[in-house]
Amino acid sequence: INTLKDPDKYYFTQCFQNTVLVWIPCIYLWVCFPVYFLYLRCHDRGYIQMSNLNKAKTALGLILWIVCWADLFYSFWERSQNIFQAPFFLVRPTVLGITMLLATFLIQYERIKGVQSSGVMTIFWLISLLCAIVVFRSKIIHALNTVSDLDAFRYATFCIYFVLLFVQLILCCFPERPPLFSETVNDPVSVQFILSAGYCMLMVQGYRRPLEAKDLWSLNKEDKSEEIVQPLNMLYSPKKQQKSSSSSGDVTEEAEALIIKPSQKSSEASLFKVLYKTFGPYFLMSFLFKAAHDLLMFAGPEILKLLINFVNNKAAPNWQGYFYTGLLFVCACLQTLILHQYFHICFVTGMRLKTAIVGVIYRKALVITNSARKTSTVGEIVNLMSVDAQRFMDLATYINMIWSAPLQVILALYLLWQNLGPSVLAGVAVMILLVPINAVMAMKTKTYQVAQMKSKDNRIKLMNEILNGIKVLKLYAWELAFREKVLEIRQKELKVLKKSAYLAAMATFTWVCAPFLVALSTFAVYVTIDKKNVLDAQKAFVSLALFNILRFPLNMLPMVISSIVEASVSLKRLRVFLSHEELDPDSIIRGPITEGEFLFLLKISMCKFWQAELCTLYFSINFTVPEGSLVAVVGQVGCGKSSLLSALLGEMDKKEGYVVVKGSVAYVPQQAWVQNATLEDNVIFGREMNESRYKRVIEACALLPDIEILPTGDKTEIGEKGVNLSGGQKQRVSLARAVYCNADVYLFDDPLSAVDAHVGKHIFEKVIGPKGILKNKTRVLVTHAINYLPQMDTILVMSDGEISEMGSYQELLKQDGAFAEFLRTYANAEQSMENSGKLTEKQMSSNRQLSNSSTYSRDTGKTQHQSSTAELQKPLAEKNSWKLTEADTAKTGRVKATVYWDYMKAIGLFISFLSIFLFMCNHIASLASNYWLSLWTDDPVINGTQQYTNVRLGVYGALGISQGLLGLTYFKISWGIFASRHLHLNLLHNVLRSPMSFFERTPSGNLVNRFSKEIDTIDSTIPPIIKMFMGSTFNVIGACIIILLATPIAAVIIPPLGLVYLLVQRFYVATSRQLKRLESVSRSPVYSHFNETLLGVSVIRAFEEQKRFIKQNDVKVDENQKAYYPSIVANRWLAVRLEYVGNCIVLFAALFAVTARNKLSAGLVGLSVSYSLQITAYLNWLVRMSSELETNIVAVERVKEYAEMEKEAEWSIEQTAPASTWPKEGKVEFRGYGLRYREDLDLVLKNINVTINGGEKIGIVGRTGAGKSSLTLGLFRINEAAEGEIIIDGINIAKIGLHDLRFKITIIPQDPILFSGSLRMNLDPFDQHSDEDIWRSLELAHLKNFVSSLPDKLNHECAEGGENLSVGQRQLVCLARALLRKSKILVLDEATAAVDLETDKLIQSTIKSQFEECTVLTIAHRLNTIMDYTRVLVLDRGEVVECGSPDHLLQEKGIFYSMAKDSGLV
């Protein structure tokens, strides 16, 4: 720096001005250029037409180049005149000129690639202008001082250059017009955008009223799912790509055969590589920004050093102080801009990563084999999507710290060495000591984490099953047993959490103390080595500022390491899932139809994998089916009928042989799979709508009467898993879907079992049979109904996975084998059905009200005309307002203070306040220690040493250590665990206590979301956020106090800045919170859709609808990211504005220090400025944390939400509990009983007066929807009585507790539901019975042989939903449950629908013999089962119309007679 005559005029030397200041912008642009150029090449957003703005920019660029080179030619001219100037007069214009050309090229290149506004160029023009300002100032000073030797030409060119730069910078702030042919609305990545109006508009909107989904911008093209997942899929494995497309086995089949499955190892390594290839290039940009930011960080302490020198040197001119102050401010502002550009890139990368991972998982789930499905349960896969994808997002923000942290540490140490010399080594030693400690902690954390994830997976899996089978739990009164199971898992989880909380406390303790210990050891060594070493303000505070910088990378490194560790755990889980076996599309050969009679051949021997543990070797089978024929498959329960169909669909693992299927396939599974969509969508299933065909199909499948009843016809939304349809209706919808799609081959897995006899007959005639819609198609029908067999072309008889006989009906009778035997037993009763004449249509639809045989949501079933007159005037569109499932709603407005209060109460108030108090003490100690340091540095220096050094050092050490101890005690209190335990317990209890209607209204996705995501947030996100929030709050307050101590005049400026800050913060939080809510609400559909897909994956594959489902998933993910993207930008928007507030505080702290420099000691100046340097970061954290806290505390709100729901009656009531022997005789009386499903609906049952004596066997019959099931629901009090009462053995059941009642009545429900766990647990969850009892009940249920053949016998693990048992076996397990309970009253709900006749006979005889003395109520579909009962109740429209013994009713020729006639019993 040059001092001319006047020491007040400081400026840089000519040499510095013409070299360094010119090179800075040039170097920046040349370093950015290669990376930026590559990035633009890869991301073409469309072409932007030439606009005036663009022309102006280009022209200015060229003029700048000409101006620079004019200087160059001037220098050449001078040389020819023999005036030799310094060489930089040649170098400078050359370099600048070339750089300007490059800039001009980039302006054009960006236009061609569709960049509307460029951050890179803006920063370039900004830096150029800043450098030029310095030169410009010195030129003016120079011109004023020396008039004689002015270089007029160069002055002129420089002024032109300066003005042009200024204009370029301004032009750069205007965005270009949008590119042609692009949907991109705006590209919010650039710096201007963060400062711009576009976002402010959204903010203002968000502040005025809660944002809604329609206010959000559309995603950029390169952030959309299809754009991201496509390349990833292609890279990750070529095999997968073809899987999805190999629909019509053409060329891809060949190609696939050539690709040998890559070995395990290679695919493992590749996942990371692939992610890197896909997202690396964009992410690399962040490296540059990070590096620039790191370098700027160290400018602060250096300027501080100059400032303190300035305050100490009373002779220094005033403008110096102001110059440093300005410099400090400019540095801080630049740092802000660069940092947030960096963060933006990181967050966008994170978002894309998440999109990619969800997309890849979804695509994989569609092609994974069934055996692999078993290893990854639904719960785990959903966790992969939610939790693990989130891990990757978090990692993207941290990963750069891997190289940046060491860089910062090295720089800081270098500067410290310059300041304090070798004594820095003491500090370094302390740091090095702390690193292994932190590493050990990180490793421990990893092990805990894995353990916690495992418990969590198990818990979610169990919850999933509980929610799926909640009806059974309620009917059996098993809630408590399952609650205990969940809490047991939760207890393990909390144990681990507690351990990791203690670890975290230790880690935090080392972090809090680390910077302090480092400072203490360094200062102690420094002052004790040599008496002459004086700790003055400059040394102490510059070192402190550097130590504070050091603190960040050292704190971050463990976090980064643990984040990488977490991500690697997640990566491994992902990799395991993605390398699961996939279905081999070659296992069945699909060909187009050729003119030939054989439609498919089949020769297979295979091992059915769902029973891998039994490995029943299935079928060595040979058979061919001619085109257009109708084949029936019959056989006992569990003999492999359904597996045969799975084999035809390619779902099984083929061992040898081949399967050929010609043409397209339609499949009707045994358990109907219904989507959560309108009824029409379910039938059409992605095909084109064809009115006439649609009508024909609906009619043939007997859906017309049902559609008339549904509130909005076929536009009615069907709930998840079809909750508002009965079993029969679901089956018919499933059938209609198959018929509508008009395939060549139809596979029916027993679709007639779930429907009433007359409906079954109608369907067979109109659809499946020889005269039905499908008469020219090839049909394979698995069935138990004998009466249809004579009409079949071929019958296959299966036993134990073999085909024992095949042939036509007549042939098989002639052979007189097992089949003939089988027939003789059953056919007598049913044969006559053939002759019983056709059903009249009128009878068919005689009030087919919405059948309620399997579910209880008759709330939808009532015709809605009576709900209110207002309803009638609404247009149809609004009729949808009765929507069945309630979407996950987003709360609006601020989070109420009560939520925080609830959280504190969940922790316990005493502990909450104690923690806050300890935290405060901790911070006060920290402030005191630094204040003491400033007093120490101001000690006068006498004879080159300071007095009292030891006292000062001692007190400093004591304060620091007390701070550490306070911190430790505070962190030791793991208050988070109390809250977690308490809130989860409440949530679980409340959900289990909710009535059935609640589960029908609420999609299981929402509930699972509460149990996984929200509880996870409460467990592991909220506690650290609260710690950081409190930390930042006290830090900011502390910094303000120090600044006020040093320069009281700051009191004028801090309040207004605080106000600005609060305004920005309120503004931001309003928007950000709502965005977060929108994001979490739009997350639910992703999971619901995913769950649904997993349940129906075989159907989706059979219909070859994978593409459409993948597309739906992409759309849902994009909707979710649409809410997430603005929230990233919101964070940037906020941070930039806040940091400017912080920068202003730095500016004023320094300014006031400069103005009052005569009154202030250097120590105080150092203290106040070094605190103000930190304040920016703290402010940033504070807002970040306060908004994080608000957005995450929503989890508490959502968990509490279910606590306020309606509950069922008490489980047990002490006062009225009946005697333990009740009911003695089992007498049931209905007195004037009436039932409705919801307040605003009609009575479903009305005025029922029946007395059933103990031990009577009663059959309940009636057309579908007559209220048969409703009767049982009333008996179990799933729905409470609307009028009248039910009395069992003299006790009114409404007066006793629900469990007291439900334990005493047994039901065999319609859909047999098992839970994953041992078979024993499924039979007796409370462990009340001995093994002998259980074996006896199994024997009576005809399961003994099956169970004793299992390797684990009673401990045989049932899969999720009992999927490794056949439906018939599950039904028998339910029978065994009933036999175990042996209660006086038994209710059968169509228990025999899914069982073949033989098993049915066994069940009936078991019930007759075992429940001799009991009262049995049977809801019958097959009338032949109840012909020998004591009495039959006939219900119609909710009233008892006939009642008497079967023979008596047949003579009366009423409704019962007509039904018996339909079934061919008369």
Side-chain angles (χ1 to χ4, degrees):
I1 284 181
N2 247 4
T3 319
L4 278 164
K5 301 145 208 158
D6 179 357
D8 247 18
K9 310 238 179 337
Y10 264 55
Y11 62 90
F12 298 105
T13 59
Q14 277 279 311
C15 183
F16 183 80
Q17 288 179 11
N18 281 316
T19 52
V20 179
L21 290 182
V22 173
W23 293 342
I24 290 174
C26 298
I27 289 169
Y28 163 78
L29 193 60
W30 284 101
V31 170
C32 287
F33 174 67
V35 182
Y36 190 50
F37 181 71
L38 281 174
Y39 167 70
L40 286 180
R41 272 196 63 175
C42 305
H43 295 74
D44 193 345
R45 298 194 190 144
Y47 177 86
I48 300 181
Q49 285 174 304
M50 201 53 148
S51 60
N52 290 336
L53 177 66
N54 202 279
K55 285 177 191 158
K57 284 188 196 172
T58 314
L60 284 177
L62 290 172
I63 297 171
L64 276 166
W65 166 66
I66 294 167
V67 169
C68 294
W69 279 28
D71 266 9
L72 177 65
F73 292 124
Y74 184 63
S75 297
F76 282 141
W77 177 79
E78 276 186 335
R79 295 219 154 190
S80 68
Q81 300 297 320
N82 291 334
I83 307 170
F84 286 99
Q85 296 271 25
F88 61 64
F89 280 113
L90 285 175
V91 178
R92 188 192 79 114
T94 316
V95 174
L96 257 186
I98 295 172
T99 308
M100 289 304 159
L101 273 182
L102 178 67
T104 315
F105 164 73
L106 271 177
I107 289 172
Q108 281 305 316
Y109 193 67
E110 285 177 341
R111 174 180 72 81
I112 294 166
K113 291 292 181 190
V115 179
Q116 287 173 271
S117 54
S118 154
V120 176
M121 293 308 291
T122 311
I123 293 176
F124 168 68
W125 295 122
L126 185 68
I127 298 176
S128 303
L129 190 69
L130 289 175
C131 293
I133 288 177
V134 179
V135 183
F136 193 57
R137 176 180 166 276
S138 69
K139 289 233 185 218
I140 290 172
I141 292 172
H142 188 75
L144 293 177
N145 285 339
T146 53
V147 187
S148 53
D149 58 333
L150 261 184
D151 189 343
F153 182 79
R154 286 204 174 85
Y155 262 79
T157 51
F158 184 78
C159 291
I160 297 171
Y161 169 79
F162 183 73
V163 172
L164 290 177
L165 277 182
F166 187 63
V167 179
Q168 274 284 32
L169 181 63
I170 291 171
L171 288 183
C172 225
C173 294
F174 295 105
E176 290 281 354
R177 57 175 76 168
L180 298 169
F181 325 117
S182 88
E183 314 86 46
T184 339
V185 186
N186 45 14
D187 161 30
V189 184
S190 71
V191 177
Q192 296 95 320
F193 180 75
I194 293 176
L195 300 173
S196 78
Y199 199 72
C200 294
M201 287 315 296
L202 190 66
M203 283 287 183
V204 171
Q205 257 181 345
Y207 190 65
R208 291 210 186 115
R209 61 177 171 77
L211 283 176
E212 290 156 31
K214 61 171 190 294
D215 300 325
L216 305 174
W217 316 306
S218 62
L219 276 178
N220 293 337
K221 184 157 169 279
E222 65 269 25
D223 294 332
K224 290 215 164 112
S225 286
E226 42 193 325
E227 291 289 318
I228 294 173
V229 184
Q230 222 49 40
L232 197 71
N233 241 351
M234 282 160 76
L235 286 168
Y236 186 59
S237 119
K239 221 168 150 43
K240 213 152 309 166
Q241 246 346 73
Q242 289 159 347
K243 283 282 152 69
S244 56
S245 64
S246 70
S247 45
S248 51
D250 42 311
V251 197
T252 43
E253 304 277 279
E254 263 59 318
E256 221 154 14
L258 299 176
I259 297 169
I260 297 142
K261 241 205 159 89
S263 66
Q264 198 61 29
K265 198 74 209 124
S266 67
S267 72
E268 283 191 2
S270 67
L271 182 60
F272 179 73
K273 272 196 207 135
V274 166
L275 289 174
Y276 170 75
K277 265 190 197 152
T278 319
F279 304 108
Y282 175 71
F283 191 60
L284 282 176
M285 305 242 312
S286 63
F287 280 28
L288 293 176
F289 289 117
K290 186 72 180 137
H293 171 254
D294 287 354
L295 293 176
L296 273 172
M297 244 165 78
F298 289 100
E302 289 307 293
I303 298 171
L304 177 63
K305 191 194 236 168
L306 295 173
L307 247 178
I308 293 177
N309 279 346
F310 163 77
V311 173
N312 276 337
N313 171 10
K314 301 293 181 203
N318 270 347
W319 69 264
Q320 258 186 6
Y322 296 123
F323 176 65
Y324 295 144
T325 306
L327 207 54
L328 203 58
F329 183 63
V330 170
C331 271
C333 294
L334 262 180
Q335 210 176 322
T336 301
L337 282 181
I338 291 174
L339 182 66
H340 294 299
Q341 191 63 18
Y342 159 72
F343 270 141
H344 187 86
I345 292 176
C346 291
F347 278 118
V348 171
T349 309
M351 172 176 104
R352 290 180 186 172
L353 261 175
K354 183 171 176 184
T355 303
I357 284 165
V358 172
V360 170
I361 289 174
Y362 187 84
R363 285 159 173 75
K364 177 75 182 186
L366 285 174
V367 292
I368 187 175
T369 60
N370 286 335
S371 52
R373 262 286 299 287
K374 226 176 134 194
T375 53
S376 303
T377 55
V378 179
E380 274 175 40
I381 302 177
V382 170
N383 258 351
L384 272 181
M385 274 191 151
S386 56
V387 183
D388 295 317
Q390 194 62 43
R391 292 272 150 76
F392 282 100
M393 279 177 96
D394 298 342
L395 180 67
T397 34
Y398 286 142
I399 189 101
N400 273 329
M401 291 303 294
I402 283 291
W403 59 267
S404 149
L407 176 76
Q408 291 180 21
V409 171
I410 292 166
L411 272 172
L413 290 180
Y414 168 72
L415 292 171
L416 277 167
W417 184 279
Q418 286 196 325
N419 219 4
L420 297 175
S423 46
V424 174
L425 292 175
V428 177
V430 174
M431 282 182 191
I432 291 172
L433 270 176
L434 289 174
V435 169
I437 297 178
N438 277 342
V440 169
M441 287 182 183
M443 292 312 294
K444 286 296 277 185
T445 316
K446 172 179 176 174
T447 49
Y448 289 151
Q449 178 130 28
V450 175
Q452 190 197 338
M453 283 302 273
K454 211 176 165 61
S455 306
K456 190 170 153 206
D457 279 348
N458 289 338
R459 192 184 85 230
I460 299 303
K461 180 176 150 190
L462 187 60
M463 280 313 303
N464 221 343
E465 292 191 49
I466 289 179
L467 297 173
N468 285 341
I470 188 78
K471 191 171 102 199
V472 175
L473 286 191
K474 291 210 172 296
L475 291 172
Y476 286 131
W478 279 358
E479 293 104 331
L480 287 170
F482 278 85
R483 192 179 115 186
E484 285 320 303
K485 277 184 74 174
V486 175
L487 291 179
E488 197 180 311
I489 299 178
R490 179 71 178 155
Q491 201 45 49
K492 278 188 210 147
E493 205 179 344
L494 286 175
K495 257 206 190 103
V496 175
L497 260 178
K498 194 161 197 159
K499 282 183 191 158
S500 42
Y502 282 152
L503 256 188
M506 284 303 299
T508 318
F509 170 66
T510 52
W511 292 347
V512 168
C513 287
F516 176 77
L517 286 174
V518 173
L520 178 67
S521 53
T522 310
F523 291 155
V525 171
Y526 182 70
V527 291
T528 47
I529 286 179
D530 182 359
K531 281 273 180 274
K532 290 274 181 283
N533 278 352
V534 174
L535 193 65
D536 60 9
Q538 179 194 330
K539 291 209 168 74
F541 287 107
V542 173
S543 306
L544 263 189
L546 287 167
F547 282 135
N548 278 331
I549 288 182
L550 256 182
R551 185 178 176 161
F552 180 69
L554 287 179
N555 281 358
M556 285 302 285
L557 265 178
M559 274 176 76
V560 174
I561 290 166
S562 72
S563 178
I564 287 179
V565 162
E566 284 176 9
S568 68
V569 172
S570 294
L571 191 69
K572 189 160 159 238
R573 287 167 50 122
L574 243 181
R575 210 177 46 214
V576 167
F577 178 69
L578 288 180
S579 50
H580 272 328
E581 253 183 285
E582 300 183 1
L583 284 179
D584 178 12
D586 303 345
S587 61
I588 52 173
I589 302 165
R590 281 205 176 169
I593 295 194
T594 44
E595 292 302 314
E597 48 140 2
F598 288 141
L599 194 64
F600 58 84
L601 278 99
L602 179 71
K603 174 181 185 328
I604 324 169
S605 69
M606 47 168 68
C607 169
K608 178 174 184 223
F609 244 88
W610 277 75
Q611 301 192 339
E613 58 269 44
L614 332 176
C615 208
T616 18
L617 261 158
Y618 269 120
F619 6 100
S620 327
I621 289 187
N622 291 293
F623 74 105
T624 40
V625 180
E627 190 169 338
S629 62
L630 174 56
V631 180
V633 182
V634 295
Q636 301 278 9
V637 167
C639 70
K641 300 184 296 289
S642 300
S643 311
L644 179 65
L645 294 191
S646 295
L648 293 180
L649 289 169
E651 301 265 318
M652 308 279 288
D653 206 29
K654 186 178 71 171
K655 288 285 174 270
E656 55 187 82
Y658 63 101
V659 187
V660 185
V661 179
K662 296 280 175 62
S664 54
V665 177
Y667 170 58
V668 182
Q670 188 168 8
Q671 285 185 306
W673 173 72
V674 185
Q675 271 185 289
N676 184 357
T678 65
L679 191 132
E680 183 185 325
D681 292 344
N682 263 302
V683 173
I684 291 176
F685 204 57
R687 306 281 191 282
E688 268 98 67
M689 176 63 170
N690 171 343
E691 268 313 315
S692 58
R693 177 171 183 76
Y694 177 68
K695 286 217 169 62
R696 278 219 320 281
V697 170
I698 292 290
E699 192 178 354
C701 295
L703 278 166
L704 277 176
D706 308 308
I707 289 179
E708 282 162 22
I709 292 167
L710 290 170
T712 49
D714 59 4
K715 298 282 187 286
T716 308
E717 184 207 17
I718 294 173
E720 253 190 278
K721 301 199 194 71
V723 286
N724 48 340
L725 297 181
S726 70
Q729 282 166 324
K730 277 192 280 197
Q731 197 64 62
R732 291 200 296 277
V733 168
S734 175
L735 188 68
R737 172 194 305 149
V739 178
Y740 184 83
C741 92
N742 198 10
D744 304 312
V745 179
Y746 281 83
L747 306 176
F748 298 108
D749 196 348
D750 205 3
L752 301 175
S753 64
V755 295
D756 300 357
H758 58 278
V759 181
K761 187 156 187 263
H762 171 89
I763 287 177
F764 187 79
E765 278 171 11
K766 289 275 193 282
V767 182
I768 305 172
K771 300 193 185 59
I773 293 189
L774 305 176
K775 56 177 177 286
N776 304 325
K777 311 281 189 190
T778 310
R779 292 142 294 167
V780 178
L781 172 71
V782 171
T783 183
H784 291 142
I786 288 180
N787 40 339
Y788 303 129
L789 293 183
Q791 302 182 34
M792 300 291 173
D793 299 336
T794 318
I795 299 172
L796 299 184
V797 185
M798 295 192 67
S799 60
D800 296 332
E802 299 276 338
I803 292 189
S804 53
E805 302 179 84
M806 67 183 279
S808 69
Y809 186 71
Q810 300 306 330
E811 286 166 18
L812 290 178
L813 278 181
K814 284 202 191 86
Q815 283 176 16
D816 208 24
F819 177 70
E821 188 58 35
F822 173 75
L823 274 184
R824 276 192 212 105
T825 339
Y826 293 108
N828 317 341
E830 307 222 356
Q831 196 66 59
S832 50
M833 175 162 177
E834 290 311 305
N835 327 330
S836 63
K838 300 283 171 278
L839 278 172
T840 58
E841 254 330 278
K842 200 163 136 291
Q843 268 181 324
M844 270 277 320
S845 54
S846 63
N847 179 29
R848 294 214 64 265
Q849 261 200 350
L850 203 164
S851 125
N852 215 54
S853 41
S854 78
T855 10
Y856 308 141
S857 50
R858 180 56 145 301
D859 38 358
T860 57
K862 287 288 22 127
T863 34
Q864 291 260 332
H865 301 301
Q866 317 83 345
S867 33
S868 68
T869 38
E871 178 104 4
L872 289 177
Q873 286 128 28
K874 284 189 202 162
L876 190 85
E878 290 209 332
K879 278 283 283 288
N880 281 343
S881 57
W882 71 276
K883 270 183 100 75
L884 172 86
T885 51
E886 292 166 357
D888 222 345
T889 45
K891 284 244 168 95
T892 50
R894 289 198 61 167
V895 178
K896 298 186 187 61
T898 51
V899 178
Y900 295 100
W901 188 240
D902 283 336
Y903 186 71
M904 283 172 77
K905 279 200 298 217
I907 299 169
L909 293 178
F910 172 68
I911 292 183
S912 310
F913 286 118
L914 180 68
S915 326
I916 294 175
F917 175 70
L918 282 171
F919 208 84
M920 268 176 65
C921 298
N922 175 16
H923 276 274
I924 290 169
S926 140
L927 281 180
S929 67
N930 280 339
Y931 187 62
W932 184 261
L933 185 66
S934 92
L935 294 177
W936 177 4
T937 58
D938 288 339
D939 273 356
V941 180
I942 304 168
N943 302 334
T945 63
Q946 284 172 313
Q947 314 291 308
Y948 324 124
T949 310
N950 295 344
V951 180
R952 294 288 193 194
L953 193 58
V955 174
Y956 185 55
L959 281 170
I961 287 164
S962 62
Q963 164 196 352
L965 289 176
L966 282 166
L968 191 60
T969 43
Y970 158 70
F971 287 119
K972 235 349 193 205
I973 304 174
S974 52
W975 36 265
I977 306 291
F978 296 110
S980 295
R981 173 175 300 140
H982 191 79
L983 290 167
H984 176 263
L985 188 68
N986 274 2
L987 174 66
L988 182 64
H989 188 71
N990 288 326
V991 167
L992 289 178
R993 283 279 322 274
S994 303
M996 229 13 251
S997 57
F998 166 74
F999 294 98
E1000 273 143 26
R1001 280 201 315 270
T1002 316
S1004 62
N1006 295 7
L1007 284 164
V1008 173
N1009 208 351
R1010 295 284 195 278
F1011 277 102
S1012 61
K1013 194 82 182 130
E1014 318 294 353
I1015 291 286
D1016 185 45
T1017 305
I1018 291 171
D1019 284 349
S1020 45
T1021 319
I1022 293 183
I1025 284 180
I1026 288 184
K1027 282 178 193 165
M1028 289 198 234
F1029 171 71
M1030 284 164 59
S1032 314
T1033 313
F1034 287 124
N1035 275 332
V1036 170
I1037 295 172
C1040 288
I1041 291 173
I1042 293 282
I1043 293 172
L1044 287 173
L1045 272 178
T1047 50
I1049 189 176
V1052 181
I1053 202 72
I1054 284 181
L1057 278 176
L1059 197 67
V1060 171
Y1061 173 82
L1062 276 176
L1063 272 176
V1064 170
Q1065 202 256 17
R1066 280 264 45 87
F1067 231 101
Y1068 158 78
V1069 169
T1071 307
S1072 149
R1073 185 184 52 229
Q1074 203 51 31
L1075 283 172
K1076 182 96 173 191
R1077 279 175 177 160
L1078 283 174
E1079 195 257 336
S1080 75
V1081 166
S1082 63
R1083 199 188 312 117
S1084 288
V1086 177
Y1087 299 151
S1088 292
H1089 179 238
F1090 188 61
N1091 258 334
E1092 199 170 76
T1093 308
L1094 284 177
L1095 290 171
V1097 75
S1098 54
V1099 179
I1100 295 172
R1101 279 184 249 178
F1103 283 92
E1104 295 186 338
E1105 284 289 313
Q1106 292 99 318
K1107 285 242 173 60
R1108 182 166 66 90
F1109 275 81
I1110 287 174
K1111 193 157 177 47
Q1112 277 180 7
N1113 178 57
D1114 284 353
V1115 168
K1116 289 185 161 60
V1117 172
D1118 286 345
E1119 278 301 303
N1120 183 14
Q1121 297 296 33
K1122 222 164 95 171
Y1124 177 72
Y1125 186 74
S1127 68
I1128 302 177
V1129 182
N1131 273 333
R1132 303 282 71 77
W1133 181 90
L1134 159 88
V1136 169
R1137 278 156 185 69
L1138 286 189
E1139 290 199 11
Y1140 276 113
V1141 173
N1143 295 342
C1144 290
I1145 293 182
V1146 175
L1147 178 71
F1148 287 116
L1151 258 183
F1152 292 142
V1154 171
T1155 45
R1157 71 188 235 223
N1158 301 323
K1159 299 195 277 298
L1160 281 181
S1161 69
L1164 271 177
V1165 172
L1167 187 65
S1168 99
V1169 176
S1170 67
Y1171 260 99
S1172 75
L1173 277 176
Q1174 286 177 54
I1175 204 165
T1176 335
Y1178 287 144
L1179 279 181
N1180 215 335
W1181 262 122
L1182 180 60
V1183 169
R1184 182 79 39 80
M1185 286 304 128
S1186 63
S1187 66
E1188 283 281 297
L1189 185 60
E1190 267 216 23
T1191 40
N1192 282 306
I1193 205 89
V1194 173
V1196 178
E1197 179 182 48
R1198 291 177 62 147
V1199 168
K1200 289 299 254 191
E1201 194 180 0
Y1202 283 160
E1204 277 97 60
M1205 297 284 180
E1206 47 164 349
K1207 300 280 168 283
E1208 355 173 64
E1210 286 300 317
W1211 277 342
S1212 56
I1213 303 171
E1214 286 294 311
Q1215 301 81 23
T1216 60
S1220 58
T1221 52
W1222 175 88
K1224 272 225 173 75
E1225 54 175 325
K1227 178 178 177 191
V1228 183
E1229 296 176 70
F1230 290 87
R1231 300 185 181 167
Y1233 186 74
L1235 176 77
R1236 62 161 57 101
Y1237 280 100
R1238 257 195 348 212
E1239 297 306 308
D1240 50 352
L1241 300 176
D1242 290 3
L1243 292 175
V1244 197
L1245 293 175
K1246 33 194 180 286
N1247 193 17
I1248 294 203
N1249 290 296
V1250 179
T1251 304
I1252 297 169
N1253 297 316
E1256 273 197 299
K1257 308 283 179 282
I1258 301 287
I1260 302 174
V1261 296
R1263 301 254 175 235
T1264 316
K1268 305 186 292 272
S1269 296
S1270 310
L1271 206 57
T1272 57
L1273 300 191
L1275 196 57
F1276 281 91
R1277 281 177 61 201
I1278 294 286
N1279 289 68
E1280 299 289 348
E1283 53 189 39
E1285 55 195 14
I1286 299 179
I1287 295 193
I1288 297 182
D1289 281 9
I1291 292 186
N1292 180 351
I1293 64 168
K1295 298 280 188 289
I1296 59 177
L1298 288 181
H1299 281 185
D1300 297 336
L1301 166 70
R1302 290 173 187 168
F1303 268 129
K1304 303 292 185 184
I1305 317 178
T1306 307
I1307 186 167
I1308 301 182
Q1310 188 182 19
D1311 358 332
I1313 291 187
L1314 301 188
F1315 299 94
S1316 64
S1318 65
L1319 200 57
R1320 188 197 159 99
M1321 196 276 321
N1322 268 301
L1323 292 168
D1324 174 31
F1326 288 101
D1327 278 337
Q1328 294 165 325
H1329 304 277
S1330 65
D1331 279 6
E1332 291 81 71
D1333 293 347
I1334 292 180
W1335 278 111
R1336 194 160 55 252
S1337 70
L1338 284 174
E1339 188 175 1
L1340 294 168
H1342 310 284
L1343 275 173
K1344 188 172 183 180
N1345 298 343
F1346 169 69
V1347 176
S1348 42
S1349 73
L1350 295 172
D1352 305 333
K1353 312 252 184 311
L1354 283 180
N1355 294 327
H1356 172 69
E1357 273 299 309
C1358 300
E1360 216 171 331
E1363 299 207 313
N1364 51 356
L1365 301 177
S1366 72
V1367 181
Q1369 283 164 334
R1370 282 180 247 169
Q1371 195 79 61
L1372 294 175
V1373 171
C1374 292
L1375 174 66
R1377 280 179 194 162
L1379 291 162
L1380 256 187
R1381 276 178 110 157
K1382 206 65 204 253
S1383 53
K1384 267 298 186 201
I1385 299 173
L1386 172 72
V1387 179
L1388 279 101
D1389 188 352
E1390 303 177 327
T1392 52
V1395 188
D1396 58 274
L1397 296 171
E1398 216 161 315
T1399 321
D1400 187 12
K1401 209 160 192 186
L1402 292 174
I1403 293 180
Q1404 289 298 338
S1405 63
T1406 307
I1407 288 172
K1408 282 200 188 80
S1409 60
Q1410 292 306 310
F1411 293 97
E1412 193 71 54
E1413 287 83 60
C1414 310
T1415 312
V1416 179
L1417 304 173
T1418 304
I1419 293 178
H1421 268 185
R1422 303 180 176 174
L1423 295 190
N1424 55 341
T1425 53
I1426 56 161
M1427 284 319 229
D1428 51 359
Y1429 277 26
T1430 20
R1431 273 194 296 170
V1432 174
L1433 290 182
V1434 184
L1435 291 178
D1436 192 41
R1437 303 185 188 207
E1439 301 183 63
V1440 178
V1441 281
E1442 301 177 12
C1443 177
S1445 68
D1447 301 339
H1448 171 70
L1449 292 181
L1450 284 176
Q1451 283 149 17
E1452 287 200 345
K1453 306 253 165 163
I1455 293 183
F1456 184 69
Y1457 174 76
S1458 69
M1459 287 175 76
K1461 197 162 165 226
D1462 285 352
S1463 310
L1465 295 177
V1466 193

